[in-house]
Amino acid sequence: YVKTAIVILGGALGVTAAEQVALATSVMFQGLCAILVAYLIFWAVVYLVARKYFRFSREWAAPLASGISICGVSAAIATGSAIKARPVVPVMVSSLVVIFAVVELLILPFMAQGFLFQEPMVAGAWMGLAVKTDGAAVASGAITESLIRAKAQAVQGLNYQPGWIMGASATVKVFIDAFIGVWAFILAWLWSAKIERRSGEKVRAAQIWERFPKFILGYMATFFLILAVGALLPAQIAQTKAAMGEANVFRGIFFVMTFFTIGVVSNFRKLWEEGIGRLALVYILCLFGFIIWVGLAISWVFFHGVKPPLIGG
């Protein structure tokens, strides 16, 4: 969230007010549509496929649906907390998310360059909808921007201003990510009030609070703090970027350590017996079968014809 806020603020401060309003309007509609698709359609379809056709329990199907359809690692962990899944469930789903995000990162930007270089904002929004982790989504947007700007200049003689295509990816991702907390609350209530409720038992607010993933509150507070700093103290954006670059080193170290320790303590034979292979199959089927292409269609509907401003234009 912090990195994405910096990307958006940094890009917005370098353009005219009219350009900011035009892009903000398009991104708002695109983001709202992304939320409806990701939360109401994608989640339901993935959950249905996992439960009905692959016979997964709710414990596996819900985090998998969140991981594929919303924003990957954070959504899988938040969902696991909301439904009180065993820790290994969101961890394994998160591992799949990271693996397939790398695959998407290597494939989708080049597809966008080949077929969408005349629709650069469609390509940027597509990366935000299709790639399921924040870092990979923004990286995909950056790669897509470099490829499309180079091809547009070579083929059409157009020199787009930098930052707009990647900004579309980041902004769409923010719209989707912003509702993780809402979705976690809904799932926490649903599991407490409907799925795991005992006969005659009343659902207490403390039960929902116990299930709600507290790290979401930290995400939201940090995001709004950085947003406020950027809006009220624009001169501090450069220093904030530098500070986040330093902090990112430690983030990477702890990320690697986390998955290393998970691998050390995991019983992979047991996981295979529980269906980790089928879990990956569901991921492949849903991601490459319909989520990527529906995301492309939504991006086309809302960004078709929208162009980044030209340098010197």
Side-chain angles (χ1 to χ4, degrees):
Y1 289 114
V2 175
K3 287 183 180 179
T4 307
I6 292 173
V7 169
I8 297 169
L9 290 170
L13 292 173
V15 298
T16 66
E19 289 170 343
Q20 290 182 47
V21 171
L23 181 61
T25 302
S26 297
V27 170
M28 180 183 67
F29 284 109
Q30 166 69 19
L32 291 175
C33 188
I35 291 169
L36 292 175
V37 172
Y39 286 79
L40 302 182
I41 300 177
F42 285 174
W43 198 95
V45 172
V46 175
Y47 185 83
L48 176 65
V49 169
R51 291 280 288 155
K52 184 174 182 180
Y53 298 104
F54 288 84
R55 307 299 180 186
F56 277 107
S57 65
R58 293 189 181 97
E59 181 188 38
W60 284 98
L64 180 61
S66 295
I68 299 177
S69 62
I70 302 176
C71 79
V73 173
S74 297
I77 295 174
T79 299
S81 174
I83 69 172
K84 287 192 172 181
R86 290 168 297 162
V88 72
V89 175
V91 164
M92 295 311 299
V93 173
S94 298
S95 300
L96 290 175
V97 168
V98 172
I99 291 171
F100 284 104
V102 173
V103 175
E104 292 179 279
L105 180 64
L106 296 175
I107 295 175
L108 295 186
F110 295 95
M111 293 179 60
Q113 182 197 38
F115 300 103
L116 295 173
F117 77 96
Q118 294 180 320
E119 295 291 343
M121 298 301 287
V122 173
W126 186 33
M127 296 302 108
L129 280 176
V131 184
K132 295 305 172 185
T133 66
D134 293 349
V138 175
S140 296
I143 296 171
T144 300
E145 177 174 291
S146 297
L147 294 173
I148 287 182
R149 288 185 67 224
K151 187 168 183 177
Q153 187 169 16
V155 176
Q156 301 173 302
L158 300 177
N159 192 7
Y160 294 124
Q161 288 186 13
W164 287 89
I165 299 173
M166 183 181 68
S169 303
T171 308
V172 167
K173 203 65 181 164
V174 165
F175 270 101
I176 297 174
D177 291 356
F179 279 79
I180 293 177
V182 175
W183 193 244
F185 175 82
I186 292 173
L187 291 178
W189 174 85
L190 184 63
W191 252 251
S192 298
K194 303 295 182 182
I195 295 177
E196 296 182 355
R197 181 183 179 185
R198 298 174 183 175
S199 179
E201 181 184 27
K202 293 184 178 180
V203 179
R204 295 175 290 107
Q207 291 177 273
I208 298 176
W209 174 252
E210 182 182 353
R211 292 173 178 268
F212 186 81
K214 310 304 186 294
F215 74 90
I216 294 293
L217 301 178
Y219 275 7
M220 296 174 64
T222 306
F223 173 75
F224 286 114
L225 175 62
I226 297 299
L227 200 63
V229 170
L232 300 175
L233 302 170
Q236 299 298 317
I237 287 182
Q239 290 87 337
T240 305
K241 287 183 178 180
M244 289 307 303
E246 294 292 332
N248 190 52
V249 175
F250 295 97
R251 183 197 65 83
I253 292 173
F254 285 116
F255 185 82
V256 172
M257 290 175 61
T258 298
F259 279 89
F260 174 76
T261 53
I262 289 167
V264 170
V265 302
S266 296
N267 186 337
F268 288 98
R269 178 177 296 180
K270 182 65 175 178
L271 291 173
W272 185 262
E273 292 174 356
E274 293 203 32
I276 190 64
R278 292 186 298 123
L279 200 71
L281 186 58
V282 174
Y283 202 110
I284 293 171
L285 176 65
C286 294
L287 181 65
F288 295 103
F290 70 92
I291 287 179
I292 285 178
W293 311 118
V294 173
L296 174 58
I298 295 299
S299 300
W300 182 273
V301 168
F302 281 85
F303 275 98
H304 175 59
V306 179
K307 306 285 186 180
L310 299 174
I311 293 179

